[in-house]
PDB file of all heavy atoms in Angstrom:
ATOM      1  N   PRO A 768      57.780 -41.288 -35.772  1.00  0.00           N
ATOM      2  CA  PRO A 768      59.234 -41.152 -35.548  1.00  0.00           C
ATOM      3  C   PRO A 768      59.842 -42.553 -35.336  1.00  0.00           C
ATOM      4  O   PRO A 768      60.414 -42.904 -34.285  1.00  0.00           O
ATOM      5  CB  PRO A 768      59.268 -40.335 -34.180  1.00  0.00           C
ATOM      6  CG  PRO A 768      58.040 -40.739 -33.461  1.00  0.00           C
ATOM      7  CD  PRO A 768      56.951 -40.908 -34.605  1.00  0.00           C
ATOM      8  N   ILE A 770      62.607 -43.904 -36.637  1.00  0.00           N
ATOM      9  CA  ILE A 770      64.013 -43.796 -36.361  1.00  0.00           C
ATOM     10  C   ILE A 770      64.314 -43.682 -34.885  1.00  0.00           C
ATOM     11  O   ILE A 770      65.159 -44.396 -34.326  1.00  0.00           O
ATOM     12  CB  ILE A 770      64.685 -42.743 -37.176  1.00  0.00           C
ATOM     13  CG1 ILE A 770      64.512 -42.920 -38.663  1.00  0.00           C
ATOM     14  CG2 ILE A 770      66.184 -42.652 -36.787  1.00  0.00           C
ATOM     15  CD1 ILE A 770      65.283 -44.069 -39.228  1.00  0.00           C
ATOM     16  N   THR A 771      63.601 -42.803 -34.195  1.00  0.00           N
ATOM     17  CA  THR A 771      63.772 -42.612 -32.805  1.00  0.00           C
ATOM     18  C   THR A 771      63.401 -43.884 -32.033  1.00  0.00           C
ATOM     19  O   THR A 771      64.141 -44.279 -31.115  1.00  0.00           O
ATOM     20  CB  THR A 771      62.896 -41.437 -32.306  1.00  0.00           C
ATOM     21  OG1 THR A 771      63.251 -40.278 -33.025  1.00  0.00           O
ATOM     22  CG2 THR A 771      63.017 -41.200 -30.805  1.00  0.00           C
ATOM     23  N   TRP A 772      62.306 -44.540 -32.440  1.00  0.00           N
ATOM     24  CA  TRP A 772      61.949 -45.762 -31.713  1.00  0.00           C
ATOM     25  C   TRP A 772      63.018 -46.845 -31.931  1.00  0.00           C
ATOM     26  O   TRP A 772      63.331 -47.612 -30.981  1.00  0.00           O
ATOM     27  CB  TRP A 772      60.624 -46.267 -32.315  1.00  0.00           C
ATOM     28  CG  TRP A 772      59.455 -45.363 -32.063  1.00  0.00           C
ATOM     29  CD1 TRP A 772      59.401 -44.387 -31.159  1.00  0.00           C
ATOM     30  CD2 TRP A 772      58.176 -45.322 -32.755  1.00  0.00           C
ATOM     31  NE1 TRP A 772      58.171 -43.694 -31.190  1.00  0.00           N
ATOM     32  CE2 TRP A 772      57.428 -44.282 -32.182  1.00  0.00           C
ATOM     33  CE3 TRP A 772      57.678 -46.088 -33.750  1.00  0.00           C
ATOM     34  CZ2 TRP A 772      56.173 -43.972 -32.612  1.00  0.00           C
ATOM     35  CZ3 TRP A 772      56.363 -45.834 -34.198  1.00  0.00           C
ATOM     36  CH2 TRP A 772      55.627 -44.738 -33.640  1.00  0.00           C
ATOM     37  N   LEU A 774      66.264 -46.372 -32.352  1.00  0.00           N
ATOM     38  CA  LEU A 774      67.437 -45.966 -31.535  1.00  0.00           C
ATOM     39  C   LEU A 774      67.116 -46.300 -30.042  1.00  0.00           C
ATOM     40  O   LEU A 774      68.028 -46.744 -29.289  1.00  0.00           O
ATOM     41  CB  LEU A 774      67.786 -44.542 -31.825  1.00  0.00           C
ATOM     42  CG  LEU A 774      68.316 -44.216 -33.115  1.00  0.00           C
ATOM     43  CD1 LEU A 774      68.570 -42.641 -33.237  1.00  0.00           C
ATOM     44  CD2 LEU A 774      69.744 -44.848 -33.334  1.00  0.00           C
ATOM     45  N   LEU A 775      65.928 -45.983 -29.567  1.00  0.00           N
ATOM     46  CA  LEU A 775      65.593 -46.260 -28.217  1.00  0.00           C
ATOM     47  C   LEU A 775      65.730 -47.756 -27.926  1.00  0.00           C
ATOM     48  O   LEU A 775      66.296 -48.109 -26.884  1.00  0.00           O
ATOM     49  CB  LEU A 775      64.176 -45.821 -27.885  1.00  0.00           C
ATOM     50  CG  LEU A 775      63.950 -44.271 -27.835  1.00  0.00           C
ATOM     51  CD1 LEU A 775      62.424 -43.922 -27.830  1.00  0.00           C
ATOM     52  CD2 LEU A 775      64.543 -43.744 -26.624  1.00  0.00           C
ATOM     53  N   ALA A 776      65.177 -48.651 -28.851  1.00  0.00           N
ATOM     54  CA  ALA A 776      65.242 -50.015 -28.578  1.00  0.00           C
ATOM     55  C   ALA A 776      66.692 -50.522 -28.678  1.00  0.00           C
ATOM     56  O   ALA A 776      67.099 -51.386 -27.850  1.00  0.00           O
ATOM     57  CB  ALA A 776      64.376 -50.692 -29.631  1.00  0.00           C
ATOM     58  N   CYS A 778      69.524 -48.873 -27.986  1.00  0.00           N
ATOM     59  CA  CYS A 778      70.274 -48.474 -26.787  1.00  0.00           C
ATOM     60  C   CYS A 778      69.950 -49.356 -25.620  1.00  0.00           C
ATOM     61  O   CYS A 778      70.808 -49.819 -24.851  1.00  0.00           O
ATOM     62  CB  CYS A 778      69.998 -47.007 -26.514  1.00  0.00           C
ATOM     63  SG  CYS A 778      70.776 -45.897 -27.601  1.00  0.00           S
ATOM     64  N   LEU A 824      72.082 -44.045 -19.290  1.00  0.00           N
ATOM     65  CA  LEU A 824      71.059 -44.656 -20.125  1.00  0.00           C
ATOM     66  C   LEU A 824      69.754 -43.915 -19.950  1.00  0.00           C
ATOM     67  O   LEU A 824      69.039 -43.656 -20.926  1.00  0.00           O
ATOM     68  CB  LEU A 824      70.860 -46.149 -19.767  1.00  0.00           C
ATOM     69  CG  LEU A 824      69.768 -46.859 -20.604  1.00  0.00           C
ATOM     70  CD1 LEU A 824      70.142 -46.991 -22.069  1.00  0.00           C
ATOM     71  CD2 LEU A 824      69.510 -48.246 -19.918  1.00  0.00           C
ATOM     72  N   PHE A 825      69.376 -43.644 -18.708  1.00  0.00           N
ATOM     73  CA  PHE A 825      68.132 -43.025 -18.462  1.00  0.00           C
ATOM     74  C   PHE A 825      68.064 -41.619 -19.083  1.00  0.00           C
ATOM     75  O   PHE A 825      67.075 -41.242 -19.729  1.00  0.00           O
ATOM     76  CB  PHE A 825      67.911 -42.844 -16.897  1.00  0.00           C
ATOM     77  CG  PHE A 825      66.760 -41.944 -16.536  1.00  0.00           C
ATOM     78  CD1 PHE A 825      65.464 -42.426 -16.663  1.00  0.00           C
ATOM     79  CD2 PHE A 825      66.960 -40.692 -16.011  1.00  0.00           C
ATOM     80  CE1 PHE A 825      64.409 -41.616 -16.343  1.00  0.00           C
ATOM     81  CE2 PHE A 825      65.920 -39.844 -15.714  1.00  0.00           C
ATOM     82  CZ  PHE A 825      64.620 -40.316 -15.882  1.00  0.00           C
ATOM     83  N   LEU A 826      69.185 -40.847 -18.957  1.00  0.00           N
ATOM     84  CA  LEU A 826      69.174 -39.463 -19.502  1.00  0.00           C
ATOM     85  C   LEU A 826      69.146 -39.573 -21.072  1.00  0.00           C
ATOM     86  O   LEU A 826      68.447 -38.709 -21.709  1.00  0.00           O
ATOM     87  CB  LEU A 826      70.462 -38.759 -19.139  1.00  0.00           C
ATOM     88  CG  LEU A 826      70.565 -38.311 -17.641  1.00  0.00           C
ATOM     89  CD1 LEU A 826      71.879 -37.628 -17.356  1.00  0.00           C
ATOM     90  CD2 LEU A 826      69.419 -37.298 -17.379  1.00  0.00           C
ATOM     91  N   VAL A 827      69.852 -40.475 -21.635  1.00  0.00           N
ATOM     92  CA  VAL A 827      69.806 -40.638 -23.091  1.00  0.00           C
ATOM     93  C   VAL A 827      68.469 -41.002 -23.621  1.00  0.00           C
ATOM     94  O   VAL A 827      67.885 -40.436 -24.596  1.00  0.00           O
ATOM     95  CB  VAL A 827      70.847 -41.629 -23.570  1.00  0.00           C
ATOM     96  CG1 VAL A 827      70.644 -42.063 -25.041  1.00  0.00           C
ATOM     97  CG2 VAL A 827      72.326 -41.080 -23.412  1.00  0.00           C
ATOM     98  N   LEU A 828      67.803 -41.981 -22.977  1.00  0.00           N
ATOM     99  CA  LEU A 828      66.450 -42.407 -23.431  1.00  0.00           C
ATOM    100  C   LEU A 828      65.455 -41.274 -23.211  1.00  0.00           C
ATOM    101  O   LEU A 828      64.588 -41.087 -24.059  1.00  0.00           O
ATOM    102  CB  LEU A 828      66.040 -43.670 -22.624  1.00  0.00           C
ATOM    103  CG  LEU A 828      66.856 -44.942 -22.846  1.00  0.00           C
ATOM    104  CD1 LEU A 828      66.284 -46.036 -22.060  1.00  0.00           C
ATOM    105  CD2 LEU A 828      66.877 -45.280 -24.304  1.00  0.00           C
ATOM    106  N   LEU A 829      65.589 -40.506 -22.098  1.00  0.00           N
ATOM    107  CA  LEU A 829      64.689 -39.422 -21.838  1.00  0.00           C
ATOM    108  C   LEU A 829      64.724 -38.368 -22.963  1.00  0.00           C
ATOM    109  O   LEU A 829      63.698 -37.946 -23.548  1.00  0.00           O
ATOM    110  CB  LEU A 829      65.015 -38.779 -20.490  1.00  0.00           C
ATOM    111  CG  LEU A 829      64.270 -37.504 -20.123  1.00  0.00           C
ATOM    112  CD1 LEU A 829      62.740 -37.766 -20.006  1.00  0.00           C
ATOM    113  CD2 LEU A 829      64.843 -36.940 -18.823  1.00  0.00           C
ATOM    114  N   TYR A 830      65.995 -37.891 -23.232  1.00  0.00           N
ATOM    115  CA  TYR A 830      66.155 -36.776 -24.215  1.00  0.00           C
ATOM    116  C   TYR A 830      66.005 -37.259 -25.622  1.00  0.00           C
ATOM    117  O   TYR A 830      65.579 -36.487 -26.468  1.00  0.00           O
ATOM    118  CB  TYR A 830      67.426 -36.066 -23.962  1.00  0.00           C
ATOM    119  CG  TYR A 830      67.366 -35.010 -22.877  1.00  0.00           C
ATOM    120  CD1 TYR A 830      67.474 -35.309 -21.549  1.00  0.00           C
ATOM    121  CD2 TYR A 830      67.107 -33.703 -23.233  1.00  0.00           C
ATOM    122  CE1 TYR A 830      67.385 -34.355 -20.534  1.00  0.00           C
ATOM    123  CE2 TYR A 830      67.050 -32.718 -22.250  1.00  0.00           C
ATOM    124  CZ  TYR A 830      67.134 -33.032 -20.949  1.00  0.00           C
ATOM    125  OH  TYR A 830      67.033 -32.082 -19.957  1.00  0.00           O
ATOM    126  N   LEU A 831      66.434 -38.504 -25.899  1.00  0.00           N
ATOM    127  CA  LEU A 831      66.230 -39.015 -27.225  1.00  0.00           C
ATOM    128  C   LEU A 831      64.763 -39.087 -27.589  1.00  0.00           C
ATOM    129  O   LEU A 831      64.344 -38.845 -28.698  1.00  0.00           O
ATOM    130  CB  LEU A 831      66.883 -40.409 -27.394  1.00  0.00           C
ATOM    131  CG  LEU A 831      66.651 -41.161 -28.635  1.00  0.00           C
ATOM    132  CD1 LEU A 831      67.138 -40.408 -29.852  1.00  0.00           C
ATOM    133  CD2 LEU A 831      67.341 -42.524 -28.653  1.00  0.00           C
ATOM    134  N   ASN A 832      63.972 -39.526 -26.604  1.00  0.00           N
ATOM    135  CA  ASN A 832      62.514 -39.706 -26.836  1.00  0.00           C
ATOM    136  C   ASN A 832      61.849 -38.341 -27.183  1.00  0.00           C
ATOM    137  O   ASN A 832      60.980 -38.200 -28.010  1.00  0.00           O
ATOM    138  CB  ASN A 832      61.897 -40.309 -25.594  1.00  0.00           C
ATOM    139  CG  ASN A 832      60.398 -40.412 -25.737  1.00  0.00           C
ATOM    140  OD1 ASN A 832      59.902 -41.029 -26.668  1.00  0.00           O
ATOM    141  ND2 ASN A 832      59.577 -39.794 -24.821  1.00  0.00           N
ATOM    142  N   ARG A 833      62.352 -37.216 -26.482  1.00  0.00           N
ATOM    143  CA  ARG A 833      61.759 -35.924 -26.727  1.00  0.00           C
ATOM    144  C   ARG A 833      62.265 -35.260 -27.945  1.00  0.00           C
ATOM    145  O   ARG A 833      61.515 -34.904 -28.885  1.00  0.00           O
ATOM    146  CB  ARG A 833      61.950 -35.042 -25.491  1.00  0.00           C
ATOM    147  CG  ARG A 833      61.296 -35.429 -24.189  1.00  0.00           C
ATOM    148  CD  ARG A 833      59.817 -35.800 -24.420  1.00  0.00           C
ATOM    149  NE  ARG A 833      59.096 -34.673 -25.019  1.00  0.00           N
ATOM    150  CZ  ARG A 833      58.112 -34.813 -25.848  1.00  0.00           C
ATOM    151  NH1 ARG A 833      57.696 -35.980 -26.150  1.00  0.00           N
ATOM    152  NH2 ARG A 833      57.563 -33.721 -26.324  1.00  0.00           N
ATOM    153  N   PHE A 834      63.675 -35.066 -28.045  1.00  0.00           N
ATOM    154  CA  PHE A 834      64.192 -34.332 -29.133  1.00  0.00           C
ATOM    155  C   PHE A 834      64.224 -35.121 -30.465  1.00  0.00           C
ATOM    156  O   PHE A 834      64.124 -34.587 -31.502  1.00  0.00           O
ATOM    157  CB  PHE A 834      65.556 -33.767 -28.763  1.00  0.00           C
ATOM    158  CG  PHE A 834      65.559 -32.538 -27.918  1.00  0.00           C
ATOM    159  CD1 PHE A 834      65.567 -32.643 -26.551  1.00  0.00           C
ATOM    160  CD2 PHE A 834      65.525 -31.329 -28.533  1.00  0.00           C
ATOM    161  CE1 PHE A 834      65.506 -31.544 -25.740  1.00  0.00           C
ATOM    162  CE2 PHE A 834      65.512 -30.126 -27.741  1.00  0.00           C
ATOM    163  CZ  PHE A 834      65.444 -30.261 -26.365  1.00  0.00           C
ATOM    164  N   GLY A 835      64.436 -36.432 -30.258  1.00  0.00           N
ATOM    165  CA  GLY A 835      64.542 -37.272 -31.523  1.00  0.00           C
ATOM    166  C   GLY A 835      63.164 -37.284 -32.249  1.00  0.00           C
ATOM    167  O   GLY A 835      63.070 -37.129 -33.409  1.00  0.00           O
ATOM    168  N   ALA A 836      62.123 -37.416 -31.431  1.00  0.00           N
ATOM    169  CA  ALA A 836      60.765 -37.497 -32.039  1.00  0.00           C
ATOM    170  C   ALA A 836      60.389 -36.153 -32.739  1.00  0.00           C
ATOM    171  O   ALA A 836      59.871 -36.152 -33.841  1.00  0.00           O
ATOM    172  CB  ALA A 836      59.691 -37.884 -31.001  1.00  0.00           C
ATOM    173  N   VAL A 837      60.598 -35.068 -32.029  1.00  0.00           N
ATOM    174  CA  VAL A 837      60.140 -33.766 -32.599  1.00  0.00           C
ATOM    175  C   VAL A 837      61.034 -33.347 -33.777  1.00  0.00           C
ATOM    176  O   VAL A 837      60.537 -32.747 -34.761  1.00  0.00           O
ATOM    177  CB  VAL A 837      60.139 -32.636 -31.580  1.00  0.00           C
ATOM    178  CG1 VAL A 837      59.129 -32.869 -30.508  1.00  0.00           C
ATOM    179  CG2 VAL A 837      61.531 -32.454 -30.949  1.00  0.00           C
ATOM    180  N   THR A 838      62.341 -33.702 -33.732  1.00  0.00           N
ATOM    181  CA  THR A 838      63.221 -33.415 -34.871  1.00  0.00           C
ATOM    182  C   THR A 838      62.779 -34.270 -36.038  1.00  0.00           C
ATOM    183  O   THR A 838      62.781 -33.770 -37.236  1.00  0.00           O
ATOM    184  CB  THR A 838      64.724 -33.757 -34.553  1.00  0.00           C
ATOM    185  OG1 THR A 838      65.124 -32.930 -33.426  1.00  0.00           O
ATOM    186  CG2 THR A 838      65.632 -33.513 -35.685  1.00  0.00           C
ATOM    187  N   GLU A 839      62.453 -35.488 -35.835  1.00  0.00           N
ATOM    188  CA  GLU A 839      62.036 -36.383 -36.946  1.00  0.00           C
ATOM    189  C   GLU A 839      60.770 -35.925 -37.591  1.00  0.00           C
ATOM    190  O   GLU A 839      60.591 -35.960 -38.755  1.00  0.00           O
ATOM    191  CB  GLU A 839      61.963 -37.815 -36.420  1.00  0.00           C
ATOM    192  CG  GLU A 839      61.923 -38.837 -37.437  1.00  0.00           C
ATOM    193  CD  GLU A 839      62.168 -40.295 -36.911  1.00  0.00           C
ATOM    194  OE1 GLU A 839      62.314 -40.388 -35.682  1.00  0.00           O
ATOM    195  OE2 GLU A 839      62.144 -41.223 -37.749  1.00  0.00           O
ATOM    196  N   LYS A 840      59.847 -35.424 -36.762  1.00  0.00           N
ATOM    197  CA  LYS A 840      58.556 -34.982 -37.201  1.00  0.00           C
ATOM    198  C   LYS A 840      58.649 -33.686 -37.957  1.00  0.00           C
ATOM    199  O   LYS A 840      58.035 -33.492 -39.048  1.00  0.00           O
ATOM    200  CB  LYS A 840      57.591 -34.777 -36.050  1.00  0.00           C
ATOM    201  CG  LYS A 840      56.215 -34.252 -36.456  1.00  0.00           C
ATOM    202  CD  LYS A 840      55.330 -33.970 -35.265  1.00  0.00           C
ATOM    203  CE  LYS A 840      53.944 -33.414 -35.687  1.00  0.00           C
ATOM    204  NZ  LYS A 840      54.003 -32.143 -36.385  1.00  0.00           N
ATOM    205  N   LEU A 847      67.475 -36.304 -39.048  1.00  0.00           N
ATOM    206  CA  LEU A 847      67.784 -36.852 -37.772  1.00  0.00           C
ATOM    207  C   LEU A 847      68.990 -37.830 -37.838  1.00  0.00           C
ATOM    208  O   LEU A 847      69.889 -37.699 -37.045  1.00  0.00           O
ATOM    209  CB  LEU A 847      66.583 -37.598 -37.218  1.00  0.00           C
ATOM    210  CG  LEU A 847      66.780 -38.341 -35.869  1.00  0.00           C
ATOM    211  CD1 LEU A 847      66.937 -37.203 -34.761  1.00  0.00           C
ATOM    212  CD2 LEU A 847      65.602 -39.196 -35.489  1.00  0.00           C
ATOM    213  N   PHE A 851      72.871 -37.247 -36.133  1.00  0.00           N
ATOM    214  CA  PHE A 851      73.452 -38.221 -35.290  1.00  0.00           C
ATOM    215  C   PHE A 851      74.830 -38.675 -35.752  1.00  0.00           C
ATOM    216  O   PHE A 851      75.833 -38.666 -35.002  1.00  0.00           O
ATOM    217  CB  PHE A 851      72.574 -39.409 -35.036  1.00  0.00           C
ATOM    218  CG  PHE A 851      71.607 -39.316 -33.899  1.00  0.00           C
ATOM    219  CD1 PHE A 851      70.241 -39.387 -34.097  1.00  0.00           C
ATOM    220  CD2 PHE A 851      72.133 -39.120 -32.593  1.00  0.00           C
ATOM    221  CE1 PHE A 851      69.378 -39.278 -32.997  1.00  0.00           C
ATOM    222  CE2 PHE A 851      71.244 -39.096 -31.529  1.00  0.00           C
ATOM    223  CZ  PHE A 851      69.882 -39.111 -31.708  1.00  0.00           C
ATOM    224  N   MET A 876      76.019 -41.856 -26.885  1.00  0.00           N
ATOM    225  CA  MET A 876      75.612 -41.053 -28.055  1.00  0.00           C
ATOM    226  C   MET A 876      75.567 -39.575 -27.700  1.00  0.00           C
ATOM    227  O   MET A 876      74.809 -38.786 -28.318  1.00  0.00           O
ATOM    228  CB  MET A 876      74.240 -41.524 -28.633  1.00  0.00           C
ATOM    229  CG  MET A 876      73.117 -41.395 -27.637  1.00  0.00           C
ATOM    230  SD  MET A 876      71.531 -41.730 -28.447  1.00  0.00           S
ATOM    231  CE  MET A 876      71.710 -43.432 -29.017  1.00  0.00           C
ATOM    232  N   LEU A 880      73.518 -36.854 -29.936  1.00  0.00           N
ATOM    233  CA  LEU A 880      72.294 -36.374 -29.396  1.00  0.00           C
ATOM    234  C   LEU A 880      72.395 -34.870 -29.076  1.00  0.00           C
ATOM    235  O   LEU A 880      71.444 -34.147 -29.296  1.00  0.00           O
ATOM    236  CB  LEU A 880      71.970 -37.098 -28.045  1.00  0.00           C
ATOM    237  CG  LEU A 880      70.650 -36.821 -27.408  1.00  0.00           C
ATOM    238  CD1 LEU A 880      69.515 -36.985 -28.406  1.00  0.00           C
ATOM    239  CD2 LEU A 880      70.398 -37.781 -26.178  1.00  0.00           C
ATOM    240  N   VAL A 883      71.680 -33.123 -32.275  1.00  0.00           N
ATOM    241  CA  VAL A 883      70.243 -33.045 -32.582  1.00  0.00           C
ATOM    242  C   VAL A 883      69.556 -31.911 -31.775  1.00  0.00           C
ATOM    243  O   VAL A 883      68.751 -31.137 -32.309  1.00  0.00           O
ATOM    244  CB  VAL A 883      69.609 -34.403 -32.299  1.00  0.00           C
ATOM    245  CG1 VAL A 883      68.097 -34.347 -32.381  1.00  0.00           C
ATOM    246  CG2 VAL A 883      70.086 -35.481 -33.270  1.00  0.00           C
ATOM    247  N   MET A 884      69.831 -31.860 -30.497  1.00  0.00           N
ATOM    248  CA  MET A 884      69.186 -30.901 -29.627  1.00  0.00           C
ATOM    249  C   MET A 884      69.561 -29.470 -29.986  1.00  0.00           C
ATOM    250  O   MET A 884      68.674 -28.597 -30.029  1.00  0.00           O
ATOM    251  CB  MET A 884      69.527 -31.249 -28.175  1.00  0.00           C
ATOM    252  CG  MET A 884      68.970 -32.578 -27.683  1.00  0.00           C
ATOM    253  SD  MET A 884      69.138 -32.828 -25.888  1.00  0.00           S
ATOM    254  CE  MET A 884      70.864 -32.838 -25.701  1.00  0.00           C
ATOM    255  N   LEU A 896      58.702 -27.735 -25.196  1.00  0.00           N
ATOM    256  CA  LEU A 896      58.620 -29.175 -25.213  1.00  0.00           C
ATOM    257  C   LEU A 896      57.978 -29.642 -23.936  1.00  0.00           C
ATOM    258  O   LEU A 896      58.296 -29.207 -22.847  1.00  0.00           O
ATOM    259  CB  LEU A 896      59.998 -29.789 -25.362  1.00  0.00           C
ATOM    260  CG  LEU A 896      60.778 -29.375 -26.652  1.00  0.00           C
ATOM    261  CD1 LEU A 896      62.175 -30.025 -26.579  1.00  0.00           C
ATOM    262  CD2 LEU A 896      60.088 -29.907 -27.861  1.00  0.00           C
ATOM    263  N   GLU A 897      57.022 -30.606 -24.142  1.00  0.00           N
ATOM    264  CA  GLU A 897      56.432 -31.276 -22.977  1.00  0.00           C
ATOM    265  C   GLU A 897      57.537 -32.190 -22.348  1.00  0.00           C
ATOM    266  O   GLU A 897      58.063 -33.077 -23.003  1.00  0.00           O
ATOM    267  CB  GLU A 897      55.214 -32.110 -23.419  1.00  0.00           C
ATOM    268  CG  GLU A 897      54.547 -32.809 -22.298  1.00  0.00           C
ATOM    269  CD  GLU A 897      53.829 -31.870 -21.292  1.00  0.00           C
ATOM    270  OE1 GLU A 897      53.450 -30.802 -21.789  1.00  0.00           O
ATOM    271  OE2 GLU A 897      53.752 -32.175 -20.126  1.00  0.00           O
ATOM    272  N   MET A 898      57.803 -31.988 -21.133  1.00  0.00           N
ATOM    273  CA  MET A 898      58.907 -32.707 -20.426  1.00  0.00           C
ATOM    274  C   MET A 898      58.280 -33.474 -19.245  1.00  0.00           C
ATOM    275  O   MET A 898      57.203 -33.191 -18.769  1.00  0.00           O
ATOM    276  CB  MET A 898      59.973 -31.794 -19.874  1.00  0.00           C
ATOM    277  CG  MET A 898      60.607 -30.977 -20.981  1.00  0.00           C
ATOM    278  SD  MET A 898      61.423 -31.948 -22.246  1.00  0.00           S
ATOM    279  CE  MET A 898      62.834 -32.602 -21.340  1.00  0.00           C
ATOM    280  N   PRO A 899      59.001 -34.576 -18.784  1.00  0.00           N
ATOM    281  CA  PRO A 899      58.517 -35.357 -17.660  1.00  0.00           C
ATOM    282  C   PRO A 899      58.356 -34.430 -16.441  1.00  0.00           C
ATOM    283  O   PRO A 899      58.910 -33.374 -16.276  1.00  0.00           O
ATOM    284  CB  PRO A 899      59.619 -36.374 -17.412  1.00  0.00           C
ATOM    285  CG  PRO A 899      60.232 -36.524 -18.796  1.00  0.00           C
ATOM    286  CD  PRO A 899      60.170 -35.106 -19.377  1.00  0.00           C
ATOM    287  N   TRP A 929      70.030 -30.778 -19.646  1.00  0.00           N
ATOM    288  CA  TRP A 929      70.728 -31.940 -20.178  1.00  0.00           C
ATOM    289  C   TRP A 929      72.267 -31.850 -19.889  1.00  0.00           C
ATOM    290  O   TRP A 929      72.851 -32.827 -19.413  1.00  0.00           O
ATOM    291  CB  TRP A 929      70.440 -32.195 -21.643  1.00  0.00           C
ATOM    292  CG  TRP A 929      71.560 -32.820 -22.461  1.00  0.00           C
ATOM    293  CD1 TRP A 929      72.559 -32.182 -23.138  1.00  0.00           C
ATOM    294  CD2 TRP A 929      71.722 -34.239 -22.652  1.00  0.00           C
ATOM    295  NE1 TRP A 929      73.350 -33.092 -23.694  1.00  0.00           N
ATOM    296  CE2 TRP A 929      72.892 -34.366 -23.487  1.00  0.00           C
ATOM    297  CE3 TRP A 929      71.052 -35.348 -22.149  1.00  0.00           C
ATOM    298  CZ2 TRP A 929      73.319 -35.619 -23.806  1.00  0.00           C
ATOM    299  CZ3 TRP A 929      71.536 -36.625 -22.516  1.00  0.00           C
ATOM    300  CH2 TRP A 929      72.683 -36.752 -23.357  1.00  0.00           C
TER     301      TRP A 929
END
Side-chain angles (χ1 to χ4, degrees):
I770 297 291
T771 301
W772 296 342
L774 290 176
L775 288 169
C778 288
L824 175 69
F825 171 75
L826 288 177
V827 165
L828 295 182
L829 171 66
Y830 275 84
L831 173 59
N832 179 55
R833 295 310 306 146
F834 279 92
V837 295
T838 299
E839 199 167 355
K840 176 183 179 298
L847 178 69
F851 268 120
M876 62 171 63
L880 186 53
V883 171
M884 294 189 295
L896 300 175
E897 180 69 28
M898 300 301 289
W929 149 267

